Amino acid sequence: MKKKIYRGILSVFVILIIVVLSYICYLFLSYHRIVDNLKLAVNNAQIEQINPNNQSKQNYRITTFNIGYAANPQNYSFFMDGGQYARGFSQANVQQNLQGIIHQLQQTASDFILVQEIDQTATRSYHLNEVKQMTHTLNDYAHVFALNYDSAYLFYPFTQPIGSAKSGLLTLSKTNLKESTRYSLPIAEDLSKFTDLDRAFTVTVVATEPKNLALINIHLSAFTKNQTIQEAQIQKLIKYMQFYRDKGYAVIVGGDYNHDLLGDTPKLFGTKQEQLTWTHAFPKDKLPADFTLVNQEVIEAEVPSVRANDRPYTKQSYVNLVDGFIVSKDIKVNHLKVWNYHFKYSDHNPVSMDFSIQ
């Protein structure tokens, strides 16, 4: 009888080892990075019919919004921030958040919209095609989508695995798109690449007056503990900012930098001083001479663009400003605003900038 019990225990143990080894093999064999310098398909069909004379416009508004794949509402906490959940509360809740996010974007009345963390299909957002839904509703915008990452099924946390995800960057424009390219960013080569995932930015050239505009949509790494990776990502971003500037385009970079854009934002907002992997001061001194990190008016308004996701949002939550814009010197900034939506549908607030091209 004892031998049978021992054999049974041994068999279970062997099966577990085989399952674990098989999963590890699956992770490594399925891992891939999306190729660098990838040309993207742009969709201008709707815009050409709706607004054929859009090239005459001279004053514009652009909005950047990390929507947190519509699964991070005000009462949510995320496991990688020290919170509780890996997935949205339910498909119905994700759908509700997405509709709220789209409505918020409509309220901004923007000419250009840069969206980060929008899922094409993902376990965490119950496989809703958020890209399709947003572009269908905002059908008076031209658009281009690029995958930031295409991750294998991550069986972690064990009680509710975050699963697989195809998620990325969506650029929308009421002005015709001419071309768009996805550029890969440096990432860690160790095992953390399975959790911090692939990273990229897109450069989309749009037809504007008096010169064409290069819109850079970016989402830098949040959870890497290796600051050299963050520095390398910013260096590559700067390289292509200057590249498109040298080609004669006006340039705007917008997105989630996962850096403190003001340098000491917690002091401004009166929250605790907390050094996290996504709160290092943005190295604005590294920017080329003809580029500026836009901060005007934000300091006076005292509205944060992101909250810590370690617990549901309250007025005592840690907040920061990590979303915004970098502009070339031929961009005249007229107004900068963080929309105070109190993180109702996402752990970020959208940021808008009114500008003209000189």
Side-chain angles (χ1 to χ4, degrees), residues 42-48 50-51 54-55 57 60-63 110-115 135 138-145 170-179 204-208 213 215 217 355:
V42 299
N43 187 332
N44 277 326
Q46 296 286 342
I47 193 78
E48 289 172 348
I50 292 171
N51 191 10
N54 49 41
Q55 279 80 11
K57 188 175 176 69
Y60 303 94
R61 171 173 290 177
I62 183 170
T63 294
S110 300
D111 300 287
F112 310 106
I113 299 173
L114 307 177
V115 179
T135 56
L138 302 178
N139 60 5
D140 53 343
Y141 288 84
H143 65 271
V144 60
F145 173 73
L170 177 66
T171 298
L172 301 116
S173 170
K174 286 195 172 180
T175 300
N176 288 337
L177 307 181
K178 297 176 74 67
E179 62 181 56
T204 304
V205 177
V206 298
T208 49
L213 174 64
L215 292 177
N217 189 349
F355 70 96

mmCIF file of all heavy atoms in Angstrom, residues 42-48 50-51 54-55 57 60-63 110-115 135 138-145 170-179 204-208 213 215 217 355:
data_model
loop_
_atom_site.group_PDB
_atom_site.id
_atom_site.type_symbol
_atom_site.label_atom_id
_atom_site.label_comp_id
_atom_site.label_asym_id
_atom_site.label_seq_id
_atom_site.Cartn_x
_atom_site.Cartn_y
_atom_site.Cartn_z
ATOM 1 N N VAL A 42 -1.854 52.795 -43.174
ATOM 2 C CA VAL A 42 -2.673 53.903 -42.672
ATOM 3 C C VAL A 42 -4.054 53.831 -43.301
ATOM 4 O O VAL A 42 -4.222 53.347 -44.421
ATOM 5 C CB VAL A 42 -2.021 55.271 -42.971
ATOM 6 C CG1 VAL A 42 -0.665 55.362 -42.296
ATOM 7 C CG2 VAL A 42 -1.887 55.510 -44.469
ATOM 8 N N ASN A 43 -5.047 54.293 -42.546
ATOM 9 C CA ASN A 43 -6.431 54.260 -43.007
ATOM 10 C C ASN A 43 -6.938 55.682 -43.152
ATOM 11 O O ASN A 43 -7.235 56.344 -42.170
ATOM 12 C CB ASN A 43 -7.294 53.471 -42.018
ATOM 13 C CG ASN A 43 -8.711 53.256 -42.526
ATOM 14 O OD1 ASN A 43 -9.239 54.053 -43.301
ATOM 15 N ND2 ASN A 43 -9.329 52.182 -42.083
ATOM 16 N N ASN A 44 -7.033 56.141 -44.408
ATOM 17 C CA ASN A 44 -7.512 57.485 -44.687
ATOM 18 C C ASN A 44 -8.898 57.503 -45.319
ATOM 19 O O ASN A 44 -9.417 58.565 -45.627
ATOM 20 C CB ASN A 44 -6.560 58.206 -45.655
ATOM 21 C CG ASN A 44 -5.372 58.817 -44.943
ATOM 22 O OD1 ASN A 44 -5.486 59.261 -43.814
ATOM 23 N ND2 ASN A 44 -4.225 58.841 -45.604
ATOM 24 N N ALA A 45 -9.520 56.332 -45.518
ATOM 25 C CA ALA A 45 -10.748 56.244 -46.311
ATOM 26 C C ALA A 45 -11.850 57.152 -45.779
ATOM 27 O O ALA A 45 -12.487 57.890 -46.530
ATOM 28 C CB ALA A 45 -11.232 54.800 -46.352
ATOM 29 N N GLN A 46 -12.078 57.120 -44.475
ATOM 30 C CA GLN A 46 -13.157 57.913 -43.894
ATOM 31 C C GLN A 46 -12.854 59.406 -43.954
ATOM 32 O O GLN A 46 -13.696 60.213 -44.313
ATOM 33 C CB GLN A 46 -13.378 57.503 -42.432
ATOM 34 C CG GLN A 46 -13.845 56.072 -42.256
ATOM 35 C CD GLN A 46 -15.291 55.884 -42.651
ATOM 36 O OE1 GLN A 46 -16.048 56.844 -42.747
ATOM 37 N NE2 GLN A 46 -15.676 54.653 -42.922
ATOM 38 N N ILE A 47 -11.633 59.772 -43.606
ATOM 39 C CA ILE A 47 -11.286 61.190 -43.498
ATOM 40 C C ILE A 47 -11.390 61.888 -44.850
ATOM 41 O O ILE A 47 -11.810 63.027 -44.946
ATOM 42 C CB ILE A 47 -9.881 61.360 -42.898
ATOM 43 C CG1 ILE A 47 -9.633 62.806 -42.477
ATOM 44 C CG2 ILE A 47 -8.795 60.913 -43.837
ATOM 45 C CD1 ILE A 47 -10.268 63.188 -41.204
ATOM 46 N N GLU A 48 -11.041 61.178 -45.916
ATOM 47 C CA GLU A 48 -11.069 61.795 -47.241
ATOM 48 C C GLU A 48 -12.498 62.122 -47.656
ATOM 49 O O GLU A 48 -12.751 63.084 -48.363
ATOM 50 C CB GLU A 48 -10.403 60.872 -48.257
ATOM 51 C CG GLU A 48 -8.901 60.791 -48.064
ATOM 52 C CD GLU A 48 -8.251 59.729 -48.934
ATOM 53 O OE1 GLU A 48 -8.963 58.903 -49.518
ATOM 54 O OE2 GLU A 48 -7.011 59.735 -49.006
ATOM 55 N N ILE A 50 -15.063 62.674 -45.389
ATOM 56 C CA ILE A 50 -15.716 63.565 -44.434
ATOM 57 C C ILE A 50 -15.146 64.974 -44.475
ATOM 58 O O ILE A 50 -15.865 65.964 -44.412
ATOM 59 C CB ILE A 50 -15.585 62.979 -43.009
ATOM 60 C CG1 ILE A 50 -16.423 61.690 -42.924
ATOM 61 C CG2 ILE A 50 -16.028 63.958 -41.945
ATOM 62 C CD1 ILE A 50 -16.199 60.924 -41.669
ATOM 63 N N ASN A 51 -13.834 65.098 -44.601
ATOM 64 C CA ASN A 51 -13.206 66.416 -44.470
ATOM 65 C C ASN A 51 -12.144 66.602 -45.545
ATOM 66 O O ASN A 51 -10.950 66.597 -45.261
ATOM 67 C CB ASN A 51 -12.597 66.559 -43.070
ATOM 68 C CG ASN A 51 -12.162 67.978 -42.765
ATOM 69 O OD1 ASN A 51 -12.470 68.905 -43.511
ATOM 70 N ND2 ASN A 51 -11.446 68.140 -41.676
ATOM 71 N N ASN A 54 -9.247 69.539 -45.162
ATOM 72 C CA ASN A 54 -8.650 69.712 -43.839
ATOM 73 C C ASN A 54 -7.273 70.361 -43.876
ATOM 74 O O ASN A 54 -6.794 70.847 -42.866
ATOM 75 C CB ASN A 54 -8.580 68.363 -43.097
ATOM 76 C CG ASN A 54 -7.983 67.263 -43.950
ATOM 77 O OD1 ASN A 54 -7.006 67.507 -44.663
ATOM 78 N ND2 ASN A 54 -8.564 66.081 -43.897
ATOM 79 N N GLN A 55 -6.612 70.409 -45.035
ATOM 80 C CA GLN A 55 -5.273 70.980 -45.093
ATOM 81 C C GLN A 55 -5.258 72.497 -44.840
ATOM 82 O O GLN A 55 -4.211 73.077 -44.635
ATOM 83 C CB GLN A 55 -4.636 70.671 -46.451
ATOM 84 C CG GLN A 55 -4.035 69.267 -46.530
ATOM 85 C CD GLN A 55 -5.091 68.220 -46.796
ATOM 86 O OE1 GLN A 55 -6.232 68.547 -47.111
ATOM 87 N NE2 GLN A 55 -4.739 66.959 -46.651
ATOM 88 N N LYS A 57 -6.495 74.086 -42.301
ATOM 89 C CA LYS A 57 -6.502 74.378 -40.869
ATOM 90 C C LYS A 57 -5.100 74.739 -40.388
ATOM 91 O O LYS A 57 -4.116 74.161 -40.827
ATOM 92 C CB LYS A 57 -7.031 73.155 -40.112
ATOM 93 C CG LYS A 57 -7.281 73.385 -38.634
ATOM 94 C CD LYS A 57 -7.915 72.141 -38.037
ATOM 95 C CE LYS A 57 -8.112 72.278 -36.532
ATOM 96 N NZ LYS A 57 -9.144 73.274 -36.205
ATOM 97 N N TYR A 60 -4.363 73.783 -34.055
ATOM 98 C CA TYR A 60 -4.692 72.394 -33.803
ATOM 99 C C TYR A 60 -4.716 72.089 -32.305
ATOM 100 O O TYR A 60 -4.131 72.805 -31.492
ATOM 101 C CB TYR A 60 -3.654 71.478 -34.454
ATOM 102 C CG TYR A 60 -3.482 71.658 -35.938
ATOM 103 C CD1 TYR A 60 -2.490 72.508 -36.441
ATOM 104 C CD2 TYR A 60 -4.286 70.978 -36.842
ATOM 105 C CE1 TYR A 60 -2.316 72.670 -37.808
ATOM 106 C CE2 TYR A 60 -4.119 71.135 -38.218
ATOM 107 C CZ TYR A 60 -3.134 71.979 -38.693
ATOM 108 O OH TYR A 60 -2.970 72.139 -40.034
ATOM 109 N N ARG A 61 -5.388 70.969 -31.989
ATOM 110 C CA ARG A 61 -5.332 70.412 -30.630
ATOM 111 C C ARG A 61 -4.946 68.943 -30.740
ATOM 112 O O ARG A 61 -5.490 68.193 -31.560
ATOM 113 C CB ARG A 61 -6.671 70.542 -29.907
ATOM 114 C CG ARG A 61 -6.704 69.768 -28.564
ATOM 115 C CD ARG A 61 -7.961 70.043 -27.772
ATOM 116 N NE ARG A 61 -7.956 71.409 -27.253
ATOM 117 C CZ ARG A 61 -8.956 71.940 -26.565
ATOM 118 N NH1 ARG A 61 -10.057 71.232 -26.339
ATOM 119 N NH2 ARG A 61 -8.875 73.169 -26.110
ATOM 120 N N ILE A 62 -4.007 68.534 -29.893
ATOM 121 C CA ILE A 62 -3.582 67.136 -29.828
ATOM 122 C C ILE A 62 -3.769 66.636 -28.403
ATOM 123 O O ILE A 62 -3.536 67.372 -27.434
ATOM 124 C CB ILE A 62 -2.106 66.972 -30.282
ATOM 125 C CG1 ILE A 62 -1.705 65.497 -30.283
ATOM 126 C CG2 ILE A 62 -1.152 67.795 -29.433
ATOM 127 C CD1 ILE A 62 -0.356 65.227 -30.939
ATOM 128 N N THR A 63 -4.216 65.390 -28.264
ATOM 129 C CA THR A 63 -4.434 64.777 -26.952
ATOM 130 C C THR A 63 -3.708 63.443 -26.878
ATOM 131 O O THR A 63 -3.735 62.663 -27.844
ATOM 132 C CB THR A 63 -5.935 64.558 -26.687
ATOM 133 O OG1 THR A 63 -6.583 65.822 -26.589
ATOM 134 C CG2 THR A 63 -6.167 63.793 -25.389
ATOM 135 N N SER A 110 -10.363 67.038 -30.184
ATOM 136 C CA SER A 110 -8.981 67.079 -30.662
ATOM 137 C C SER A 110 -8.883 66.828 -32.156
ATOM 138 O O SER A 110 -9.688 66.089 -32.739
ATOM 139 C CB SER A 110 -8.141 66.028 -29.927
ATOM 140 O OG SER A 110 -8.135 66.270 -28.536
ATOM 141 N N ASP A 111 -7.871 67.420 -32.773
ATOM 142 C CA ASP A 111 -7.546 67.143 -34.166
ATOM 143 C C ASP A 111 -6.689 65.889 -34.295
ATOM 144 O O ASP A 111 -6.768 65.174 -35.292
ATOM 145 C CB ASP A 111 -6.806 68.335 -34.778
ATOM 146 C CG ASP A 111 -7.637 69.600 -34.746
ATOM 147 O OD1 ASP A 111 -8.590 69.693 -35.542
ATOM 148 O OD2 ASP A 111 -7.347 70.482 -33.909
ATOM 149 N N PHE A 112 -5.859 65.649 -33.277
ATOM 150 C CA PHE A 112 -4.994 64.470 -33.262
ATOM 151 C C PHE A 112 -5.119 63.810 -31.895
ATOM 152 O O PHE A 112 -5.196 64.497 -30.862
ATOM 153 C CB PHE A 112 -3.529 64.842 -33.499
ATOM 154 C CG PHE A 112 -3.318 65.720 -34.703
ATOM 155 C CD1 PHE A 112 -3.018 67.059 -34.556
ATOM 156 C CD2 PHE A 112 -3.426 65.200 -35.987
ATOM 157 C CE1 PHE A 112 -2.820 67.878 -35.659
ATOM 158 C CE2 PHE A 112 -3.235 66.003 -37.092
ATOM 159 C CZ PHE A 112 -2.934 67.346 -36.937
ATOM 160 N N ILE A 113 -5.119 62.484 -31.876
ATOM 161 C CA ILE A 113 -5.206 61.732 -30.624
ATOM 162 C C ILE A 113 -4.147 60.634 -30.644
ATOM 163 O O ILE A 113 -4.041 59.877 -31.623
ATOM 164 C CB ILE A 113 -6.598 61.105 -30.430
ATOM 165 C CG1 ILE A 113 -7.681 62.188 -30.361
ATOM 166 C CG2 ILE A 113 -6.635 60.256 -29.158
ATOM 167 C CD1 ILE A 113 -9.100 61.630 -30.347
ATOM 168 N N LEU A 114 -3.363 60.556 -29.580
ATOM 169 C CA LEU A 114 -2.359 59.506 -29.410
ATOM 170 C C LEU A 114 -2.794 58.636 -28.238
ATOM 171 O O LEU A 114 -2.886 59.110 -27.105
ATOM 172 C CB LEU A 114 -0.982 60.120 -29.128
ATOM 173 C CG LEU A 114 -0.483 61.171 -30.123
ATOM 174 C CD1 LEU A 114 0.864 61.731 -29.671
ATOM 175 C CD2 LEU A 114 -0.374 60.593 -31.533
ATOM 176 N N VAL A 115 -3.075 57.371 -28.514
ATOM 177 C CA VAL A 115 -3.565 56.443 -27.493
ATOM 178 C C VAL A 115 -2.509 55.385 -27.227
ATOM 179 O O VAL A 115 -1.921 54.837 -28.161
ATOM 180 C CB VAL A 115 -4.879 55.770 -27.945
ATOM 181 C CG1 VAL A 115 -5.381 54.788 -26.890
ATOM 182 C CG2 VAL A 115 -5.942 56.830 -28.242
ATOM 183 N N THR A 135 -11.968 53.045 -33.270
ATOM 184 C CA THR A 135 -11.900 53.623 -34.612
ATOM 185 C C THR A 135 -13.263 53.629 -35.289
ATOM 186 O O THR A 135 -13.558 54.501 -36.115
ATOM 187 C CB THR A 135 -10.876 52.873 -35.482
ATOM 188 O OG1 THR A 135 -11.209 51.469 -35.511
ATOM 189 C CG2 THR A 135 -9.475 53.039 -34.949
ATOM 190 N N LEU A 138 -15.022 56.670 -33.517
ATOM 191 C CA LEU A 138 -14.370 57.914 -33.940
ATOM 192 C C LEU A 138 -14.072 57.842 -35.435
ATOM 193 O O LEU A 138 -12.936 57.975 -35.878
ATOM 194 C CB LEU A 138 -13.087 58.132 -33.131
ATOM 195 C CG LEU A 138 -13.260 58.191 -31.607
ATOM 196 C CD1 LEU A 138 -11.920 58.361 -30.918
ATOM 197 C CD2 LEU A 138 -14.212 59.308 -31.194
ATOM 198 N N ASN A 139 -15.118 57.612 -36.223
ATOM 199 C CA ASN A 139 -14.909 57.340 -37.643
ATOM 200 C C ASN A 139 -14.689 58.593 -38.480
ATOM 201 O O ASN A 139 -14.565 58.501 -39.701
ATOM 202 C CB ASN A 139 -16.073 56.519 -38.204
ATOM 203 C CG ASN A 139 -17.415 57.239 -38.075
ATOM 204 O OD1 ASN A 139 -17.468 58.391 -37.651
ATOM 205 N ND2 ASN A 139 -18.478 56.548 -38.420
ATOM 206 N N ASP A 140 -14.635 59.754 -37.835
ATOM 207 C CA ASP A 140 -14.261 60.961 -38.574
ATOM 208 C C ASP A 140 -12.765 61.243 -38.450
ATOM 209 O O ASP A 140 -12.299 62.335 -38.786
ATOM 210 C CB ASP A 140 -15.080 62.169 -38.112
ATOM 211 C CG ASP A 140 -15.023 62.375 -36.599
ATOM 212 O OD1 ASP A 140 -14.634 61.430 -35.887
ATOM 213 O OD2 ASP A 140 -15.378 63.474 -36.137
ATOM 214 N N TYR A 141 -12.022 60.258 -37.948
ATOM 215 C CA TYR A 141 -10.565 60.342 -37.852
ATOM 216 C C TYR A 141 -9.926 59.309 -38.769
ATOM 217 O O TYR A 141 -10.383 58.154 -38.849
ATOM 218 C CB TYR A 141 -10.080 60.045 -36.424
ATOM 219 C CG TYR A 141 -10.361 61.115 -35.403
ATOM 220 C CD1 TYR A 141 -11.592 61.191 -34.760
ATOM 221 C CD2 TYR A 141 -9.373 62.040 -35.060
ATOM 222 C CE1 TYR A 141 -11.833 62.159 -33.808
ATOM 223 C CE2 TYR A 141 -9.613 63.019 -34.096
ATOM 224 C CZ TYR A 141 -10.839 63.072 -33.482
ATOM 225 O OH TYR A 141 -11.098 64.038 -32.527
ATOM 226 N N ALA A 142 -8.863 59.702 -39.446
ATOM 227 C CA ALA A 142 -7.959 58.719 -40.035
ATOM 228 C C ALA A 142 -7.201 58.048 -38.887
ATOM 229 O O ALA A 142 -7.104 58.609 -37.788
ATOM 230 C CB ALA A 142 -6.996 59.401 -40.986
ATOM 231 N N HIS A 143 -6.656 56.858 -39.118
ATOM 232 C CA HIS A 143 -5.980 56.188 -38.012
ATOM 233 C C HIS A 143 -4.912 55.222 -38.500
ATOM 234 O O HIS A 143 -4.932 54.758 -39.642
ATOM 235 C CB HIS A 143 -6.988 55.447 -37.122
ATOM 236 C CG HIS A 143 -7.682 54.307 -37.811
ATOM 237 N ND1 HIS A 143 -8.855 54.458 -38.518
ATOM 238 C CD2 HIS A 143 -7.367 52.992 -37.919
ATOM 239 C CE1 HIS A 143 -9.240 53.306 -39.008
ATOM 240 N NE2 HIS A 143 -8.352 52.389 -38.664
ATOM 241 N N VAL A 144 -3.994 54.938 -37.588
ATOM 242 C CA VAL A 144 -2.981 53.909 -37.804
ATOM 243 C C VAL A 144 -2.697 53.257 -36.461
ATOM 244 O O VAL A 144 -2.614 53.930 -35.432
ATOM 245 C CB VAL A 144 -1.693 54.497 -38.427
ATOM 246 C CG1 VAL A 144 -1.065 55.556 -37.531
ATOM 247 C CG2 VAL A 144 -0.680 53.397 -38.736
ATOM 248 N N PHE A 145 -2.581 51.924 -36.474
ATOM 249 C CA PHE A 145 -2.346 51.155 -35.248
ATOM 250 C C PHE A 145 -1.063 50.353 -35.385
ATOM 251 O O PHE A 145 -0.776 49.798 -36.448
ATOM 252 C CB PHE A 145 -3.515 50.213 -34.973
ATOM 253 C CG PHE A 145 -3.278 49.259 -33.820
ATOM 254 C CD1 PHE A 145 -3.286 49.714 -32.511
ATOM 255 C CD2 PHE A 145 -3.012 47.912 -34.063
ATOM 256 C CE1 PHE A 145 -3.058 48.836 -31.452
ATOM 257 C CE2 PHE A 145 -2.784 47.037 -33.016
ATOM 258 C CZ PHE A 145 -2.813 47.507 -31.706
ATOM 259 N N LEU A 170 -2.248 53.631 -30.871
ATOM 260 C CA LEU A 170 -3.198 54.061 -31.891
ATOM 261 C C LEU A 170 -3.069 55.566 -32.087
ATOM 262 O O LEU A 170 -3.135 56.332 -31.115
ATOM 263 C CB LEU A 170 -4.629 53.714 -31.467
ATOM 264 C CG LEU A 170 -5.754 54.160 -32.410
ATOM 265 C CD1 LEU A 170 -5.663 53.414 -33.744
ATOM 266 C CD2 LEU A 170 -7.113 53.921 -31.760
ATOM 267 N N THR A 171 -2.861 55.980 -33.320
ATOM 268 C CA THR A 171 -2.788 57.395 -33.668
ATOM 269 C C THR A 171 -3.990 57.738 -34.542
ATOM 270 O O THR A 171 -4.239 57.068 -35.549
ATOM 271 C CB THR A 171 -1.483 57.705 -34.421
ATOM 272 O OG1 THR A 171 -0.372 57.404 -33.565
ATOM 273 C CG2 THR A 171 -1.419 59.169 -34.831
ATOM 274 N N LEU A 172 -4.746 58.762 -34.129
ATOM 275 C CA LEU A 172 -5.924 59.203 -34.872
ATOM 276 C C LEU A 172 -5.723 60.642 -35.313
ATOM 277 O O LEU A 172 -5.130 61.449 -34.591
ATOM 278 C CB LEU A 172 -7.181 59.104 -34.008
ATOM 279 C CG LEU A 172 -7.493 57.695 -33.481
ATOM 280 C CD1 LEU A 172 -7.400 57.693 -31.967
ATOM 281 C CD2 LEU A 172 -8.878 57.250 -33.915
ATOM 282 N N SER A 173 -6.253 60.972 -36.481
ATOM 283 C CA SER A 173 -6.009 62.297 -37.048
ATOM 284 C C SER A 173 -7.184 62.744 -37.909
ATOM 285 O O SER A 173 -7.736 61.956 -38.687
ATOM 286 C CB SER A 173 -4.735 62.284 -37.902
ATOM 287 O OG SER A 173 -4.606 63.480 -38.649
ATOM 288 N N LYS A 174 -7.569 64.016 -37.760
ATOM 289 C CA LYS A 174 -8.568 64.602 -38.650
ATOM 290 C C LYS A 174 -7.913 65.215 -39.883
ATOM 291 O O LYS A 174 -8.580 65.840 -40.694
ATOM 292 C CB LYS A 174 -9.402 65.632 -37.898
ATOM 293 C CG LYS A 174 -10.392 64.993 -36.933
ATOM 294 C CD LYS A 174 -11.453 65.947 -36.462
ATOM 295 C CE LYS A 174 -12.508 65.206 -35.667
ATOM 296 N NZ LYS A 174 -13.572 66.091 -35.169
ATOM 297 N N THR A 175 -6.619 65.037 -39.983
ATOM 298 C CA THR A 175 -5.861 65.441 -41.162
ATOM 299 C C THR A 175 -5.294 64.189 -41.811
ATOM 300 O O THR A 175 -4.912 63.247 -41.121
ATOM 301 C CB THR A 175 -4.724 66.401 -40.751
ATOM 302 O OG1 THR A 175 -5.293 67.553 -40.142
ATOM 303 C CG2 THR A 175 -3.897 66.821 -41.934
ATOM 304 N N ASN A 176 -5.222 64.163 -43.129
ATOM 305 C CA ASN A 176 -4.798 62.962 -43.841
ATOM 306 C C ASN A 176 -3.423 62.467 -43.389
ATOM 307 O O ASN A 176 -2.492 63.255 -43.211
ATOM 308 C CB ASN A 176 -4.763 63.219 -45.347
ATOM 309 C CG ASN A 176 -6.157 63.325 -45.936
ATOM 310 O OD1 ASN A 176 -7.115 62.814 -45.370
ATOM 311 N ND2 ASN A 176 -6.268 63.995 -47.072
ATOM 312 N N LEU A 177 -3.314 61.162 -43.219
ATOM 313 C CA LEU A 177 -2.047 60.520 -42.893
ATOM 314 C C LEU A 177 -1.286 60.220 -44.177
ATOM 315 O O LEU A 177 -1.851 59.707 -45.140
ATOM 316 C CB LEU A 177 -2.285 59.225 -42.125
ATOM 317 C CG LEU A 177 -3.167 59.311 -40.871
ATOM 318 C CD1 LEU A 177 -3.282 57.935 -40.233
ATOM 319 C CD2 LEU A 177 -2.604 60.315 -39.880
ATOM 320 N N LYS A 178 0.010 60.519 -44.168
ATOM 321 C CA LYS A 178 0.830 60.271 -45.360
ATOM 322 C C LYS A 178 1.599 58.961 -45.251
ATOM 323 O O LYS A 178 1.685 58.195 -46.202
ATOM 324 C CB LYS A 178 1.802 61.448 -45.565
ATOM 325 C CG LYS A 178 1.082 62.776 -45.832
ATOM 326 C CD LYS A 178 2.054 63.927 -45.923
ATOM 327 C CE LYS A 178 2.838 63.924 -47.221
ATOM 328 N NZ LYS A 178 1.973 64.202 -48.391
ATOM 329 N N GLU A 179 2.162 58.698 -44.069
ATOM 330 C CA GLU A 179 2.922 57.454 -43.866
ATOM 331 C C GLU A 179 3.131 57.259 -42.378
ATOM 332 O O GLU A 179 3.001 58.207 -41.589
ATOM 333 C CB GLU A 179 4.277 57.512 -44.575
ATOM 334 C CG GLU A 179 5.179 58.614 -44.064
ATOM 335 C CD GLU A 179 6.510 58.676 -44.799
ATOM 336 O OE1 GLU A 179 6.500 58.792 -46.034
ATOM 337 O OE2 GLU A 179 7.546 58.622 -44.112
ATOM 338 N N THR A 204 4.221 59.043 -37.326
ATOM 339 C CA THR A 204 3.202 59.179 -38.357
ATOM 340 C C THR A 204 3.274 60.583 -38.941
ATOM 341 O O THR A 204 3.183 61.575 -38.206
ATOM 342 C CB THR A 204 1.799 58.926 -37.774
ATOM 343 O OG1 THR A 204 1.774 57.635 -37.158
ATOM 344 C CG2 THR A 204 0.741 59.002 -38.863
ATOM 345 N N VAL A 205 3.459 60.674 -40.237
ATOM 346 C CA VAL A 205 3.538 61.958 -40.925
ATOM 347 C C VAL A 205 2.137 62.340 -41.401
ATOM 348 O O VAL A 205 1.466 61.546 -42.073
ATOM 349 C CB VAL A 205 4.512 61.904 -42.112
ATOM 350 C CG1 VAL A 205 4.526 63.230 -42.858
ATOM 351 C CG2 VAL A 205 5.911 61.548 -41.621
ATOM 352 N N VAL A 206 1.694 63.540 -41.020
ATOM 353 C CA VAL A 206 0.357 64.006 -41.386
ATOM 354 C C VAL A 206 0.463 65.288 -42.203
ATOM 355 O O VAL A 206 1.422 66.063 -42.076
ATOM 356 C CB VAL A 206 -0.524 64.231 -40.145
ATOM 357 C CG1 VAL A 206 -0.719 62.939 -39.391
ATOM 358 C CG2 VAL A 206 0.076 65.277 -39.224
ATOM 359 N N ALA A 207 -0.541 65.495 -43.053
ATOM 360 C CA ALA A 207 -0.559 66.669 -43.927
ATOM 361 C C ALA A 207 -1.106 67.869 -43.172
ATOM 362 O O ALA A 207 -2.288 67.912 -42.835
ATOM 363 C CB ALA A 207 -1.415 66.378 -45.160
ATOM 364 N N THR A 208 -0.247 68.829 -42.855
ATOM 365 C CA THR A 208 -0.639 70.044 -42.149
ATOM 366 C C THR A 208 -0.009 71.247 -42.841
ATOM 367 O O THR A 208 0.899 71.120 -43.650
ATOM 368 C CB THR A 208 -0.186 70.007 -40.673
ATOM 369 O OG1 THR A 208 1.205 69.634 -40.616
ATOM 370 C CG2 THR A 208 -1.002 69.010 -39.869
ATOM 371 N N LEU A 213 3.680 67.462 -40.504
ATOM 372 C CA LEU A 213 3.934 67.233 -39.084
ATOM 373 C C LEU A 213 4.230 65.760 -38.853
ATOM 374 O O LEU A 213 3.519 64.885 -39.343
ATOM 375 C CB LEU A 213 2.702 67.657 -38.281
ATOM 376 C CG LEU A 213 2.675 67.388 -36.775
ATOM 377 C CD1 LEU A 213 3.764 68.179 -36.061
ATOM 378 C CD2 LEU A 213 1.301 67.753 -36.205
ATOM 379 N N LEU A 215 4.159 63.055 -36.071
ATOM 380 C CA LEU A 215 3.610 62.754 -34.750
ATOM 381 C C LEU A 215 4.245 61.481 -34.216
ATOM 382 O O LEU A 215 4.137 60.420 -34.843
ATOM 383 C CB LEU A 215 2.096 62.563 -34.822
ATOM 384 C CG LEU A 215 1.238 63.782 -35.151
ATOM 385 C CD1 LEU A 215 -0.234 63.370 -35.240
ATOM 386 C CD2 LEU A 215 1.425 64.869 -34.101
ATOM 387 N N ASN A 217 4.241 58.753 -31.289
ATOM 388 C CA ASN A 217 3.401 58.177 -30.236
ATOM 389 C C ASN A 217 4.253 57.171 -29.475
ATOM 390 O O ASN A 217 4.742 56.196 -30.047
ATOM 391 C CB ASN A 217 2.185 57.495 -30.876
ATOM 392 C CG ASN A 217 1.141 57.064 -29.865
ATOM 393 O OD1 ASN A 217 1.374 57.068 -28.662
ATOM 394 N ND2 ASN A 217 -0.030 56.684 -30.365
ATOM 395 N N PHE A 355 -1.906 74.110 -30.323
ATOM 396 C CA PHE A 355 -0.682 74.567 -30.949
ATOM 397 C C PHE A 355 -0.924 75.039 -32.379
ATOM 398 O O PHE A 355 -1.976 74.747 -32.984
ATOM 399 C CB PHE A 355 0.372 73.457 -30.944
ATOM 400 C CG PHE A 355 0.055 72.312 -31.869
ATOM 401 C CD1 PHE A 355 0.579 72.242 -33.152
ATOM 402 C CD2 PHE A 355 -0.793 71.274 -31.461
ATOM 403 C CE1 PHE A 355 0.291 71.185 -34.018
ATOM 404 C CE2 PHE A 355 -1.110 70.212 -32.311
ATOM 405 C CZ PHE A 355 -0.555 70.190 -33.594
#
